[in-house]
Amino acid sequence: MDLVTNPAGKQEVLVSGARGKPLVARTWFGRTRKEHADEYLKYNYENGVLEVEKKLGCLGMQQFRKIRGDVAEFTTISYWESMEAMEATHGGDLCPSHLEKDPDYLLELPESIEVSELHVNDWRLSPRS
């Protein structure tokens, strides 16, 4: 994977140049009660995010949380070298993987995930001077 600095001064992952195909983003959504938001965020990170990041082909992850009234909404995105790498980790299944305690925390168990192609990833690696 090649990194270059783009005209905005951010590091850009050139996902299609060297390998000729985009990276893959696998997005999971879940909801819990607001009072469990901090506890679930930690549980999901320690038991989900850190475990998935160890998988061959996983380039990294992001975990988001949004509080709306009495509900905390979570979005977890994992980034993969290829569709094949993602499918190998998840047994070729595009259904969500559930953690052991998800039924205790989540308002409903998600039945699907989203898979997208990642064509641009620009990040500023250091703050502007």
Side-chain angles (χ1 to χ4, degrees):
M1 188 170 356
D2 298 322
L3 287 176
V4 298
T5 301
N6 72 10
K10 296 180 181 177
Q11 293 297 305
E12 181 175 334
V13 176
L14 298 178
V15 295
S16 59
R19 296 175 312 123
K21 59 184 176 180
L23 301 179
V24 175
R26 182 179 195 272
T27 307
W28 172 92
F29 303 96
R31 302 177 329 127
T32 190
R33 291 191 307 263
K34 180 181 175 180
E35 61 264 24
H36 298 299
D38 290 340
E39 189 177 339
Y40 185 72
L41 185 70
K42 181 180 180 197
Y43 172 75
N44 188 15
Y45 178 75
E46 291 174 350
N47 297 279
V49 170
L50 291 178
E51 291 304 311
V52 171
E53 285 183 329
K54 295 176 187 175
K55 305 294 183 185
L56 186 63
C58 182
L59 301 172
M61 297 186 69
Q62 293 178 310
Q63 187 180 38
F64 300 88
R65 180 180 76 184
K66 176 174 26 180
I67 306 291
R68 289 184 183 219
D70 294 336
V71 174
E73 299 175 353
F74 294 89
T75 303
T76 303
I77 306 172
S78 56
Y79 298 95
W80 300 86
E81 292 176 354
S82 66
M83 183 67 81
E84 295 79 18
M86 184 199 65
E87 288 175 341
T89 296
H90 296 283
D93 192 359
L94 294 182
C95 294
S97 303
H98 300 295
L99 301 175
E100 182 180 344
K101 294 184 181 179
D102 276 356
D104 299 335
Y105 286 110
L106 297 177
L107 298 175
E108 62 274 322
L109 291 177
E111 296 182 14
S112 64
I113 51 106
E114 291 182 5
V115 176
S116 307
E117 295 178 346
L118 173 63
H119 289 270
V120 176
N121 185 28
D122 293 351
W123 290 95
R124 185 175 318 284
L125 297 179
S126 60
R128 288 185 177 177
S129 303

Short mmCIF file of all heavy atoms in Angstrom, two decimals, residues 32 34 36-42 63-67 72-75:
data_model
loop_
_atom_site.label_atom_id
_atom_site.label_comp_id
_atom_site.label_asym_id
_atom_site.label_seq_id
_atom_site.Cartn_x
_atom_site.Cartn_y
_atom_site.Cartn_z
N THR A 32 -27.80 -0.05 21.96
CA THR A 32 -28.01 -0.46 23.34
C THR A 32 -28.65 0.70 24.10
O THR A 32 -28.77 1.81 23.57
CB THR A 32 -26.68 -0.91 23.99
OG1 THR A 32 -26.95 -1.51 25.26
CG2 THR A 32 -25.72 0.25 24.19
N LYS A 34 -28.81 3.75 26.65
CA LYS A 34 -27.83 4.78 26.97
C LYS A 34 -27.05 4.45 28.25
O LYS A 34 -25.83 4.66 28.29
CB LYS A 34 -28.53 6.13 27.12
CG LYS A 34 -27.63 7.28 27.45
CD LYS A 34 -28.43 8.56 27.61
CE LYS A 34 -27.57 9.71 28.06
NZ LYS A 34 -28.35 10.94 28.21
N HIS A 36 -25.99 1.76 29.28
CA HIS A 36 -24.98 0.73 29.05
C HIS A 36 -23.94 1.15 28.01
O HIS A 36 -23.07 0.36 27.64
CB HIS A 36 -25.64 -0.57 28.58
CG HIS A 36 -26.58 -1.16 29.57
ND1 HIS A 36 -26.18 -1.55 30.84
CD2 HIS A 36 -27.89 -1.41 29.51
CE1 HIS A 36 -27.22 -2.02 31.50
NE2 HIS A 36 -28.28 -1.94 30.72
N ALA A 37 -24.02 2.39 27.55
CA ALA A 37 -23.19 2.85 26.43
C ALA A 37 -21.69 2.73 26.72
O ALA A 37 -20.95 2.19 25.89
CB ALA A 37 -23.54 4.29 26.06
N ASP A 38 -21.23 3.22 27.85
CA ASP A 38 -19.79 3.16 28.16
C ASP A 38 -19.33 1.72 28.35
O ASP A 38 -18.28 1.32 27.85
CB ASP A 38 -19.47 3.97 29.42
CG ASP A 38 -19.61 5.46 29.20
OD1 ASP A 38 -19.59 5.92 28.04
OD2 ASP A 38 -19.76 6.18 30.21
N GLU A 39 -20.12 0.95 29.05
CA GLU A 39 -19.78 -0.45 29.31
C GLU A 39 -19.72 -1.25 28.01
O GLU A 39 -18.79 -2.04 27.79
CB GLU A 39 -20.81 -1.05 30.26
CG GLU A 39 -20.48 -2.40 30.79
CD GLU A 39 -21.53 -2.88 31.79
OE1 GLU A 39 -22.26 -2.06 32.37
OE2 GLU A 39 -21.60 -4.11 31.95
N TYR A 40 -20.70 -1.04 27.12
CA TYR A 40 -20.70 -1.78 25.87
C TYR A 40 -19.57 -1.33 24.95
O TYR A 40 -18.95 -2.15 24.27
CB TYR A 40 -22.04 -1.69 25.14
CG TYR A 40 -22.03 -2.58 23.91
CD1 TYR A 40 -22.08 -3.96 24.06
CD2 TYR A 40 -21.92 -2.05 22.64
CE1 TYR A 40 -22.02 -4.79 22.95
CE2 TYR A 40 -21.86 -2.88 21.53
CZ TYR A 40 -21.91 -4.25 21.68
OH TYR A 40 -21.83 -5.07 20.59
N LEU A 41 -19.29 -0.04 24.93
CA LEU A 41 -18.19 0.47 24.11
C LEU A 41 -16.89 -0.25 24.49
O LEU A 41 -16.16 -0.73 23.61
CB LEU A 41 -18.03 1.98 24.31
CG LEU A 41 -17.00 2.67 23.43
CD1 LEU A 41 -17.44 2.71 21.98
CD2 LEU A 41 -16.75 4.08 23.95
N LYS A 42 -16.62 -0.35 25.77
CA LYS A 42 -15.42 -1.03 26.25
C LYS A 42 -15.47 -2.53 25.92
O LYS A 42 -14.49 -3.10 25.44
CB LYS A 42 -15.28 -0.82 27.76
CG LYS A 42 -14.05 -1.48 28.33
CD LYS A 42 -13.92 -1.26 29.82
CE LYS A 42 -12.66 -1.96 30.30
NZ LYS A 42 -12.60 -2.17 31.70
N GLN A 63 -14.36 2.63 15.58
CA GLN A 63 -15.54 2.37 16.40
C GLN A 63 -16.17 3.72 16.72
O GLN A 63 -15.51 4.61 17.26
CB GLN A 63 -15.10 1.64 17.68
CG GLN A 63 -16.21 1.17 18.54
CD GLN A 63 -15.67 0.45 19.78
OE1 GLN A 63 -14.67 0.85 20.35
NE2 GLN A 63 -16.35 -0.60 20.18
N PHE A 64 -17.45 3.87 16.39
CA PHE A 64 -18.18 5.12 16.60
C PHE A 64 -19.34 4.88 17.56
O PHE A 64 -19.90 3.78 17.60
CB PHE A 64 -18.77 5.63 15.28
CG PHE A 64 -17.74 5.91 14.22
CD1 PHE A 64 -17.35 4.91 13.36
CD2 PHE A 64 -17.19 7.17 14.09
CE1 PHE A 64 -16.41 5.15 12.36
CE2 PHE A 64 -16.25 7.42 13.10
CZ PHE A 64 -15.86 6.41 12.24
N ARG A 65 -19.71 5.94 18.29
CA ARG A 65 -20.89 5.88 19.15
C ARG A 65 -21.63 7.20 19.05
O ARG A 65 -21.02 8.27 19.04
CB ARG A 65 -20.49 5.63 20.60
CG ARG A 65 -21.70 5.55 21.52
CD ARG A 65 -21.30 5.30 22.95
NE ARG A 65 -20.78 6.54 23.54
CZ ARG A 65 -20.29 6.62 24.75
NH1 ARG A 65 -20.20 5.55 25.51
NH2 ARG A 65 -19.86 7.76 25.22
N LYS A 66 -22.95 7.11 18.99
CA LYS A 66 -23.80 8.30 18.94
C LYS A 66 -24.94 8.07 19.93
O LYS A 66 -25.60 7.04 19.90
CB LYS A 66 -24.35 8.47 17.52
CG LYS A 66 -25.30 9.60 17.35
CD LYS A 66 -25.72 9.85 15.90
CE LYS A 66 -25.66 8.67 15.01
NZ LYS A 66 -26.07 8.92 13.62
N ILE A 67 -25.15 9.04 20.82
CA ILE A 67 -26.25 8.96 21.79
C ILE A 67 -27.43 9.73 21.23
O ILE A 67 -27.31 10.90 20.86
CB ILE A 67 -25.85 9.55 23.17
CG1 ILE A 67 -24.57 8.90 23.70
CG2 ILE A 67 -27.01 9.45 24.15
CD1 ILE A 67 -24.69 7.47 24.12
N ALA A 72 -28.01 4.36 22.65
CA ALA A 72 -26.65 4.54 22.13
C ALA A 72 -26.52 3.70 20.87
O ALA A 72 -26.78 2.50 20.89
CB ALA A 72 -25.62 4.12 23.16
N GLU A 73 -26.14 4.36 19.78
CA GLU A 73 -25.97 3.67 18.50
C GLU A 73 -24.48 3.49 18.25
O GLU A 73 -23.70 4.42 18.40
CB GLU A 73 -26.59 4.49 17.38
CG GLU A 73 -28.07 4.71 17.54
CD GLU A 73 -28.64 5.64 16.49
OE1 GLU A 73 -27.87 6.23 15.69
OE2 GLU A 73 -29.87 5.78 16.45
N PHE A 74 -24.10 2.29 17.86
CA PHE A 74 -22.70 1.96 17.60
C PHE A 74 -22.51 1.60 16.14
O PHE A 74 -23.35 0.93 15.55
CB PHE A 74 -22.27 0.76 18.46
CG PHE A 74 -22.26 1.07 19.92
CD1 PHE A 74 -23.40 0.89 20.69
CD2 PHE A 74 -21.13 1.56 20.53
CE1 PHE A 74 -23.42 1.19 22.03
CE2 PHE A 74 -21.13 1.86 21.89
CZ PHE A 74 -22.27 1.68 22.64
N THR A 75 -21.39 2.03 15.60
CA THR A 75 -20.98 1.65 14.26
C THR A 75 -19.53 1.21 14.36
O THR A 75 -18.69 1.95 14.89
CB THR A 75 -21.09 2.83 13.27
OG1 THR A 75 -22.43 3.32 13.27
CG2 THR A 75 -20.69 2.42 11.87
#
